[in-house]
Amino acid sequence: MTTIAAASADMRQRIAAEARTWLGTPYHHHGRVRGAGVDCAQLLAAVYGDVGLVPVLDLGNYPVQWHLHRGDEVFLGWLQRAGAAPVQASAQPQAGDVGVWRYGRAYSHGGIVVAGGADPLIVHAYIGRGVVLSRASDEPLAGREHQYWSVL
């Protein structure tokens, strides 16, 4: 394994490990405090910031249900600001990648891949559930239009 590939694999494992430390944190819109409250966007900003991969991102103000009334791809814009790029559709997601799902009119829910493959394992913050671990094929993610992005 080359040095760059080894560094990338190490960073992917650091991201996955950091994401798992948020499990059980309650859902709280605009929250970004491990153990106290977080939403799905803030979870991503916290994890990638805590591992030093991206600078601390200010996501600004966003209504809880913005995606139901507007088609603006706010979530994808945040990923682009962080330097992420879409993973090729032919490639399987890897640990450390971001999954985004369409709810309403836009991609508006995201999670962190902690184990890649055809049915990746995702850490995500969900209303009413908090930060949970689930497969992409599990509810509430199952069957929704989705894509994967990578900061690496």
Side-chain angles (χ1 to χ4, degrees):
M1 189 179 290
T2 67
T3 305
I4 293 172
S8 177
D10 178 61
M11 179 55 78
R12 288 182 178 284
Q13 292 312 307
R14 286 181 54 208
I15 294 165
E18 179 63 24
R20 287 176 183 271
T21 69
W22 286 79
L23 289 170
T25 298
Y27 180 90
H28 183 75
H29 182 63
H30 277 258
R32 196 189 291 192
V33 179
R34 185 184 359 252
V38 70
D39 67 23
C40 66
Q42 299 290 347
L43 173 66
L44 272 59
V47 168
Y48 290 96
D50 287 350
V51 299
L53 196 55
V54 299
V56 175
L57 294 176
D58 178 0
L59 304 181
N61 187 24
Y62 48 96
V64 174
Q65 296 182 339
W66 62 269
H67 57 285
L68 299 179
H69 309 290
R70 301 180 64 174
D72 300 347
E73 292 294 356
V74 174
F75 213 105
L76 299 184
W78 291 328
L79 292 174
Q80 290 169 338
R81 276 184 37 211
V87 172
Q88 292 183 6
S90 61
Q92 293 185 350
Q94 300 178 57
D97 287 342
V98 175
V100 289
W101 285 263
R102 182 180 297 276
Y103 281 78
R105 302 173 91 185
Y107 287 96
S108 55
H109 182 66
I112 299 169
V113 175
V114 295
D119 188 16
L121 195 56
I122 311 289
V123 170
H124 59 115
Y126 201 77
I127 294 175
R129 296 183 182 184
V131 180
V132 295
L133 185 65
S134 61
R135 292 271 174 206
S137 61
D138 293 341
E139 289 298 332
L141 305 177
R144 294 198 172 272
E145 185 177 337
H146 63 281
Q147 35 181 276
Y148 294 97
W149 289 60
S150 183
V151 181
L152 300 171

